[in-house]
Structures are given as C-alpha cells and as structure tokens.
Amino acid sequence: MKLGVCYYPEQWDESLWASDARRMAEMGLSTVRIAEFAWGLIEPRQGHFDWAWLDRAIDALAAAGLQVVLGTPTAAPPHWLVDAHPEILAVDAAGRTKGFGSRRHYCFSSDVFFAASERVVAAMAERYGAHPAVIAWQTDNEYGCHDTVVSYSPNALARFRQWLAANYANIGELNTAWGNVFWSMDYDRFEDVGLPVAMPAPPNPSHLLAFRRFVSDEVLRYNRMQVEILRRLAPGRDVLHNFMGFFSEFEHHEMGRDLDIATWDNYPLGHLEGTRIASEAERAAHRRTGHPDIAAFHHDLYRGVAGGRWWVMEQQAGPVNWAPWNALPAPGMVRAWTWEAFAHGAELVSYFRWRQLPYAQEQLHSGLNTPDNMLDAGGHEATTVARELQDVPVEATTRAAVALLVDYTGKWAIDALPNSPDFDVQALQLAWYGALRRLGLDVDIVPASGDFTGYALVVAPTLAVVDAGLAGRLQRCGAHLVFGPRSGSRTSEMHIAAGLPPGALRSLLPGLRVVAVEGLRPGVSFPLEAVGAGFPGAASAQVTRWRDVLDVPATLGVEARYADGHAAIVRHGNTRYVSGWLDATGLDALMRQAAAEAGVPAEPLPDGLRLRRRGKLQFAIHYGDAPVRVPAPANARFVVGGPVLDTAGVAAWWVDDSRTA
Ligand code: GAL
C-alpha cells in the first residue's frame, strides 16, 4: 500500500525540482507519474528529440529515492504534427474537425497518427526502458476523456468498412444481420456503408452496435501497439492505463488483458456533480464527501479489469475544476478516499496533482500544494495517511461472496435503442451495487466473460445480450442469481431475442416471456404487492422508469405483483427475474433476502457507513453526517481509528485476532 503523486516538472521552474522531490519523499510518497502530456517538449520538431530536460527531471526524482511512472505522451499531439497532417484530427457528430489548442484531438483511426505514436513511444522507451528509477509505464492518458473515442472522420469511415469486411462473410450476410430490408437500407458492397451519424431518423441499431464494437476495437488496437513497443523496449516494467469513472465506450476487460495493472482516476466530487447518475438529493447531501458507493463501485470494477492488480492513478486531493459546481472536500475526506481504495485492494494511490498551477486550463484545480507552494489541506491529509500506513500490514484481497455482472456490449445495446431517456445502465448498476453495499456486503464486479464459480450470489442489474454459453455458465456456477429488467432481451446483432426475452436465460427461467415493455415517464410508478411469503419487503417497494410485462407459466413462482396483476418478480429455483427498475426500498429488501438464501450474512448498516474487508482486516469508511458505531466486536483490535466514526471517519480492525502476531 503505497502513495504517489502526479507531477509535471515541465510546468515549473527547474530550480524547484530537487526540493519538490525531497518534499515528496519526506511526506512518504514513493511513486511519481510524469510526462504524459509532454510530447511537444520531448519531440519539438518531427524526429528531433530533446531528452535533456526529462533526463534531469527523472534524475531529480530518483535522487530523492522516488520511483517513476512514465506516461507515453500521445494524449497531447504537438502542433507540428497537426499542421503537417491535419487528417489526424478527430471529427465530431456535427462534422466539425476538432482543432488544436487543448488535448486528445486525435482520431484513433488515423494511420499517420498511429505511426507518429509508434515513433514517439519507441523513442521514449528506448531512452528510459532500462532506467532503474522507471518502474512502470502508463499508455496515453484516459482514453476517451472529453468524449474522444468516437470520431466521424474519413479515416474512421475507411477503417469501419474494413472492419465490417473482416467481421461479416459478405455484404449479404451484413444486410441480413442488420435487417436492412427495413426501409430499403440494403447495401451492395461494404464500401457503400456509412457511419451511423447525421441521418434524418435514428440509424439502424444493428449498424450502431457494430460501430460501437468497431470503435472499441480501434482503441484496443491503438493501446496494444503501445503495449507491444513497451514490452519490447522496457522489459520487466509494469504497463498500465488510467481508466475513467462512468466510462464505457470501449471494452475495458479486453484492454485489461493487455495490461499488468488497471488504474483509474478517482474524483469523488467531480463524479458526483459531473454526471447524471446520482439524484439531486444525493448530490446535495454528499457534495463534500462524494457518493458513498461511486468510488467503491469503480474500485471493485477496476480490481477485476487486469486480473486483480489495480491502482488509483489520480486521486482527487482538493476541489476539481471540471464539474458544474466544485466543492471543497469535507475535512478528512481525502484521507478517507485514500483508505477506501486500500480497503478495496489498491496497491497504490497517487494524488492529482503535486501543486496547483497558476495558469492554463486547470488553474482552478487544486493539488497537494497551493500555487505558492504551501502544503494544502489534501497535502496534510496525504501526510497523515503516509504515517498511518506504517502501522497497517498489507493483507491480500480475497474473492467476495457476491458478484455483480457488467457487460459493455450489453450497455451499448441498450444505448443503441434506449426506449426511454431514463434507462441509464450505469445508474441501474450503481443502484443494485448500493443495495448490496448498504447491507455491508463485499462485491466483486465481474464481466459477462468472467468466471462466476465460487460466488454464492450473482446479480445482473441488466444484461441485455446473453447467449447460450453465458446462460450455461451462469447455471453451472451454482450461485443464487438475480437478473434485472431487459436481461436477455437482445441478440448480439441487436434483434429481439428469439422466442422473446429473456431469450437464452429461459434455460434458467423456463417458459418466461417478456411480452411487452414500458418506458415510464417521470412521476409514473408501480407499487409492488407481495405474493405469499417469497419476498417480505415487496409491499413497500415500487418500480419507476421501466417495466417489462411478463407472461409467467404456472411452473414459475411469483414473489411480487403490480396492482394491475402483472408479475413484478418471478423465481425458479435459485434464479430470480426482476421486471422493473426497482427503487432502493425494494432493492434493499430483495438483496437482503437473496443474500440470506445464499448463506451470505448481511445486516443493514447505519446511514452513510460502508465496510470492506481486506484479508483479515475489516475497514469502515463513513460518508454520513451523524456519528455512527462500526459493527466491530467489543474486544476488536483497531489498527486505524476506533469504534465510533464521524463524517470522513476511517476504522480498520482485525477480524481474526490470531493473525495479528
Ligand atoms: C483527468 C486527467 C488529468 C486532469 C484531471 C483533472 O481526467 O487525466 O490530466 O485533467 O482529470 O481532474
């Protein structure tokens, strides 16, 4: 469990470098990420490299005993490259070319950009691949930040057609797979197919889904190019990428297979205010703490992306500059966010950034130090964590009893044909995750391609695309299963599942058919009524936003109904299907019931308190505003904090005292 920081030596006078490095080391930081936006300084003119400044910067850090993570600088292509090859620029949905003057202005499908990236990554890796202080490499920076995965450029069009030709046997097969007979959309050749943009009516959802897959493959291909160069020229060094929060425009688990470590950038206040995921009430209540489940959700997601090793590459250390409103974190919250990451298994938490910069786009973004170089509140809290870490042993993270299933293709499928502006897949995932977490449960987030064996309870908030193989694996894993609305609703080519939804999931829910669906406008809700004793909490729950209308054979159990008689929750053996967007009351009751049946102890936690076990250590983090008592035994031995937590409080105690020796 180590601490690090993101640092930009090129933005500061060189006279500061040595004292910055010394102060970082004195604070207890061990790792410094640099250079991910420095392409223009590394290669000021094509083929002319200036390593002198970067040599000195790395040496200054190394001299203080710090380890370096080098970012490949491709997120900031320099102006000479753009001027010579404007065709590397990305194009937005309105057909406008995105210009130079910020960052991430490139198109993943440009061969010229691909080649220029190969050259600069190789040159950098040749220079520093064997440097003893450089322990890891970050590819690019936040693929997709500022909405930059999709590009409607001529390059993207050309490569999309090649991708189609590689993925369909012939154009007739594509026409059939997409159902192009509808509205006379048949093509004669792959070269006739356009990008799914700028049409009077929405594009064919099959066309859209194919494009999303193509776009994801383009990002994976680009990253793989960088990884291969780094493997060759920087052997023995970890390769990682810094993923984002609430971002799903490429297949993260597939990219993770190419990486050693998955890292992500954790901005709890930015993610709360900057996305539509949390309700207005939640945003107001947690404006200084962040949402109790958003950071944890991503920790659990990214722990599963590269086989278990994960870091927080950028940790919010004070106010950010990019949400509509940017609050100061509650006192102690930077420390709490850091401990929460360690509780979920992080190897390293790296703060963004060392010092607030008094110029350019991010001058209102805080750092560990103020622009005049005084240690800021976040810097003090990072120092505290560094001190506390010395007394806390590193315990291994073990598999949780509960898995939450996510699937990128399934999300793209729903986004391609949402049928309601309110069916936000990530919001639904977070709602289900939150219900499990309010019960004190540890959760692994597992992709549909993952391994479910060993879990007692597997929940899928929604899983649109399910084939027979996936259904079979779910059945064989033996866990209690809970599926949410729209599960099994689409084929991989974006048709309604054969025999009606839930399609292949019918092997688990024999005879069940979704005969109609309803997107529910705001204000419309369907209260649930309990049927028998199957689901005691049902009577106070309701469904909003969405409901599947079910045709239920007599062989399936019905645990809850709507007032109009339609089934709300059905069950066969250990498998449940939830037909609507269940509210928090309903989810809490349902998850408690499912956990109990699966033999997983679950007790509702006090408001705002969250738990996470790491080996024999039980951690507790408090996001609420009233003091709470943690569920520790009276004789618990605490290694952090104590039995009562205030807002931003952290505690950790031994679960099994025999291991404390
Ligand atoms: C991240 C990005 C950083 C910085 C930061 C500010 O998205 O990777 O370079 O811009 O946000 O919060």
Side-chain angles (χ1 to χ4, degrees):
M1 299 190 285
K2 297 190 300 181
L3 296 176
V5 70
C6 304
Y7 184 49
Y8 301 90
E10 69 277 20
Q11 297 169 2
W12 302 97
D13 194 275
E14 196 168 333
S15 62
L16 281 169
W17 294 359
S19 62
D20 283 345
R22 180 180 42 75
R23 287 177 55 222
M24 289 172 193
E26 281 169 5
M27 268 179 74
L29 309 180
S30 60
T31 308
V32 187
R33 185 195 64 182
I34 60 171
E36 78 275 14
F37 301 117
W39 190 345
L41 290 109
I42 290 170
E43 190 181 8
R45 283 174 296 132
Q46 172 150 15
H48 293 266
F49 292 96
D50 176 4
W51 303 115
W53 72 272
L54 190 51
D55 289 353
R56 292 196 302 276
I58 294 175
D59 288 348
L61 296 167
L66 297 161
Q67 299 180 316
V68 173
V69 177
L70 266 187
T72 66
T74 45
H79 81 87
W80 55 257
L81 182 58
V82 176
D83 295 345
H85 300 286
E87 72 274 20
I88 72 162
L89 295 169
V91 175
D92 73 11
R96 290 172 310 209
T97 300
K98 297 183 186 178
F100 181 82
S102 65
R103 61 178 174 182
R104 298 214 60 79
H105 33 278
Y106 68 83
C107 172
F108 282 97
S109 298
S110 160
D111 290 342
V112 171
F113 185 68
F114 198 91
S117 302
E118 284 179 310
R119 284 193 300 271
V120 72
V121 173
M124 207 171 171
E126 262 159 26
R127 182 86 187 172
Y128 301 110
H131 196 296
V134 178
I135 57 145
W137 291 75
Q138 173 185 298
T139 57
D140 200 282
N141 187 80
E142 290 191 345
Y143 291 130
C145 183
H146 315 301
D147 193 14
T148 52
V149 158
V150 175
S151 167
Y152 300 98
S153 70
N155 288 316
L157 175 60
R159 285 199 47 86
F160 181 47
R161 289 170 174 167
Q162 289 170 20
W163 185 93
L164 293 173
N167 281 274
Y168 295 89
N170 53 57
I171 196 69
E173 190 190 274
L174 178 148
N175 284 326
T176 307
W178 291 10
N180 280 337
V181 64
F182 186 71
W183 290 353
S184 291
M185 300 180 298
D186 280 322
Y187 302 102
D188 293 322
R189 306 166 312 159
F190 289 115
E191 298 76 55
D192 298 337
V193 183
L195 297 173
V197 68
M199 298 170 181
N204 184 338
S206 305
H207 186 177
L208 255 182
L209 187 60
F211 183 63
R212 302 235 61 110
R213 288 200 170 104
F214 156 75
V215 164
S216 177
D217 283 356
E218 288 293 87
V219 182
L220 297 177
R221 179 183 74 107
Y222 180 78
N223 184 67
R224 197 164 292 140
M225 168 271 286
Q226 296 210 4
V227 172
E228 279 166 7
I229 293 170
L230 295 168
R231 297 263 180 244
R232 188 159 44 83
L233 298 172
R237 305 304 195 269
D238 286 323
V239 178
L240 53 91
H241 177 71
N242 58 334
F243 299 97
M244 290 188 286
F246 292 125
F247 193 76
S248 57
E249 294 194 12
F250 59 90
E251 239 297 345
H252 287 37
H253 295 89
E254 220 172 306
M255 183 175 289
R257 283 195 268 278
D258 293 333
L259 304 171
D260 299 301
I261 305 172
T263 79
W264 81 285
D265 296 344
N266 182 21
Y267 292 97
L269 303 191
H271 290 142
L272 181 73
E273 285 286 13
T275 58
R276 277 184 357 115
I277 304 280
S279 68
E280 177 56 32
E282 286 173 314
R283 287 194 272 165
H286 293 296
R287 69 191 189 91
R288 288 198 191 285
T289 59
H291 189 287
D293 300 311
I294 289 179
F297 176 91
H298 291 93
H299 296 332
D300 291 339
L301 172 69
Y302 288 115
R303 191 177 57 252
V305 159
R309 293 190 64 193
W310 69 281
W311 298 356
V312 173
M313 192 72 257
E314 300 178 10
Q315 172 59 59
Q316 177 168 0
V320 301
N321 66 321
W322 48 265
W325 301 276
N326 297 297
L328 281 170
M333 216 55 223
V334 172
R335 167 180 174 260
W337 293 327
T338 309
W339 272 116
E340 183 174 45
F342 288 132
H344 285 254
E347 291 177 7
L348 174 99
V349 176
S350 166
Y351 297 101
F352 189 89
R353 53 191 286 154
W354 173 245
R355 188 166 38 235
Q356 183 173 353
L357 192 65
Y359 57 87
Q361 278 94 328
E362 291 185 351
Q363 53 187 270
L364 292 178
H365 197 298
S366 63
L368 296 179
N369 291 279
T370 59
D372 66 346
N373 214 12
M374 301 300 288
L375 201 60
D376 209 342
H380 286 287
E381 294 187 25
T383 310
T384 303
V385 179
R387 217 172 29 240
E388 291 172 324
L389 276 171
Q390 295 170 3
D391 301 325
V392 181
V394 182
E395 287 281 298
T397 303
T398 49
R399 176 176 277 235
V402 182
L404 183 136
L405 262 181
V406 297
D407 181 40
Y408 290 88
T409 307
K411 176 174 186 299
W412 305 333
I414 286 185
D415 292 348
L417 209 57
N419 213 26
S420 157
D422 303 320
F423 199 103
D424 181 320
V425 172
Q426 288 167 332
L428 187 61
Q429 290 169 345
L430 185 73
W432 283 47
Y433 177 82
L436 295 165
R437 301 284 299 143
R438 287 190 292 273
L439 290 166
L441 294 170
D442 289 351
V443 179
D444 289 345
I445 297 184
V446 179
S449 59
D451 179 8
F452 319 122
T453 45
Y455 289 107
L457 173 63
V458 175
V459 308
T462 184
L463 194 65
V465 181
V466 179
D467 61 16
L470 174 55
R473 284 188 297 120
L474 284 162
Q475 190 155 26
R476 283 191 301 278
C477 81
H480 285 248
L481 303 170
V482 187
F483 296 97
R486 303 180 87 165
S487 292
S489 62
R490 288 291 168 284
T491 67
S492 59
E493 283 294 357
M494 206 54 211
H495 297 204
I496 293 177
L500 296 186
L505 287 179
R506 237 183 320 273
S507 58
L508 293 146
L509 296 153
L512 182 67
R513 288 159 69 239
V514 177
V515 292
V517 296
E518 282 201 279
L520 308 176
R521 66 183 348 279
V524 176
S525 63
F526 285 85
L528 265 59
E529 296 169 3
V531 179
F535 173 35
S540 42
Q542 56 177 17
V543 150
T544 60
R545 298 197 202 200
W546 185 270
R547 129 178 134 135
D548 292 337
V549 178
L550 305 182
D551 175 34
V552 188
T555 46
L556 258 59
V558 176
E559 293 190 325
R561 287 193 188 285
Y562 304 108
D564 62 6
H566 287 299
I569 298 174
V570 298
R571 168 169 197 177
H572 180 71
N574 292 335
T575 302
R576 286 183 166 88
Y577 187 93
V578 182
S579 71
W581 188 294
L582 201 55
D583 66 358
T585 309
L587 285 172
D588 286 350
L590 178 64
M591 294 303 160
R592 196 171 179 190
Q593 175 86 10
E597 289 169 8
V600 184
E603 273 303 316
L605 293 172
D607 228 19
L609 186 69
R610 292 295 183 271
L611 301 178
R612 175 73 209 187
R613 177 103 172 245
R614 181 167 175 164
K616 299 289 176 194
L617 276 178
Q618 178 68 63
F619 287 84
I621 314 286
H622 189 36
Y623 278 84
D625 33 55
V628 290
R629 179 165 284 277
V630 302
N635 62 350
R637 291 193 32 204
F638 285 85
V639 291
V640 182
V644 177
L645 298 182
D646 276 319
T647 305
V650 178
W653 64 94
W654 290 105
V655 180
D656 174 357
D657 238 8
S658 63
R659 286 280 298 274
T660 60

